């Protein structure tokens, strides 16, 4: 990518703030200016889309890990966080679809012990036909086949 130089004078107080930021973030002036300018133009586009802000507080340790991950990945913190949020939401939406399909499948299939419409047991058929059902309390004896067990 072709690069072009940009310079201008700023008040000393603002210059000191920029220097402190550069040291804290461990980035070059060039990287800082590029990020600030890109964020400026990005913000103009975002305002037209009714953007919302999400803010969270994290531990110092987690913040350090975030900064290290962003630096390793070589992207802006905002882009990194948006990528994580998008991936997390996609995972939740997939889980919702899966559970919804499961629930629809369960409603469509009869549960154990349930009968489908039109299915009757033998006893119900006999009762409806007027036949009596005989119940026996005597144990059933196995038939003697006269042969030896194999």
């Amino acid at each position: 990518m072709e690069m072009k130089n940009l310079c201008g004078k700023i008040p000393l107080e603002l210059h000191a703030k920029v220097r402190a930021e550069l040291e804290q973030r461990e980035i070059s002036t060039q990287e800082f200016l590029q990020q600030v300018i890109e964020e400026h133009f990005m913000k103009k586009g975002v305002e037209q889309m009714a953007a919302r802000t999400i803010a969270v507080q994290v531990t110092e340790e987690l913040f350090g890990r975030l900064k290290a991950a962003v630096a390793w990945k070589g992207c802006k913190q905002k882009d990194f966080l948006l990528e994580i949020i998008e991936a997390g939401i996609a995972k939740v939406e997939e889980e919702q679809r899966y559970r919804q399909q499961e629930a629809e499948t369960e409603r469509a299939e009869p549960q154990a012990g349930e009968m489908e419409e039109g299915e009757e047991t033998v006893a119900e058929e006999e009762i409806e036909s007027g036949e009596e059902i005989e119940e026996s309390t005597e144990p059933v004896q196995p038939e003697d086949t006269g042969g030896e067990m194999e």
Side-chain angles (χ1 to χ4, degrees), residues 14-28:
L14 184 56
H15 186 272
K17 287 180 181 179
V18 169
R19 283 271 157 237
E21 181 81 9
L22 294 174
E23 287 178 28
Q24 178 190 0
R25 293 174 55 187
E26 298 178 344
I27 61 173
S28 69

Side-chain angles (χ1 to χ4, degrees), residues 15-135:
H15 186 272
K17 287 180 181 179
V18 169
R19 283 271 157 237
E21 181 81 9
L22 294 174
E23 287 178 28
Q24 178 190 0
R25 293 174 55 187
E26 298 178 344
I27 61 173
S28 69
T29 304
Q30 178 181 334
E31 291 170 315
F32 178 77
L33 288 175
Q34 185 174 346
Q35 287 177 4
V36 169
I37 293 167
E38 285 175 351
E39 287 171 9
H40 170 77
F41 286 111
M42 175 67 137
K43 187 174 181 180
K44 283 187 175 184
V46 168
E47 286 174 356
Q48 296 170 356
M49 301 190 291
R52 301 293 306 256
T53 299
I54 298 174
V56 295
Q57 290 184 334
V58 296
T59 64
E60 189 66 38
E61 186 259 338
L62 182 57
F63 186 75
R65 290 174 57 203
L66 171 65
K67 288 293 189 184
V70 168
W72 182 84
K73 202 157 182 190
C75 64
K76 290 187 256 175
Q77 182 174 308
K78 178 182 175 181
D79 295 335
F80 182 77
L81 292 172
L82 288 173
E83 183 180 320
I84 292 170
I85 292 168
E86 288 284 342
I89 290 171
K91 183 177 178 181
V92 169
E93 289 171 342
E94 179 62 30
E95 184 178 345
Q96 287 174 330
R97 281 191 294 276
Y98 175 77
R99 287 190 180 182
Q100 187 176 16
Q101 288 172 346
E102 250 184 3
E104 289 171 2
T105 302
E106 285 178 7
R107 281 193 295 268
E109 295 176 357
Q111 299 295 319
E114 291 182 3
M115 292 179 286
E116 293 202 24
E117 194 174 315
E119 188 178 346
E120 296 177 333
T121 64
V122 174
E124 289 171 338
E125 289 173 1
E126 290 172 350
I127 291 170
E128 287 176 8
S129 67
E131 296 178 25
E132 287 190 28
I133 302 172
E134 290 183 27
E135 290 188 31

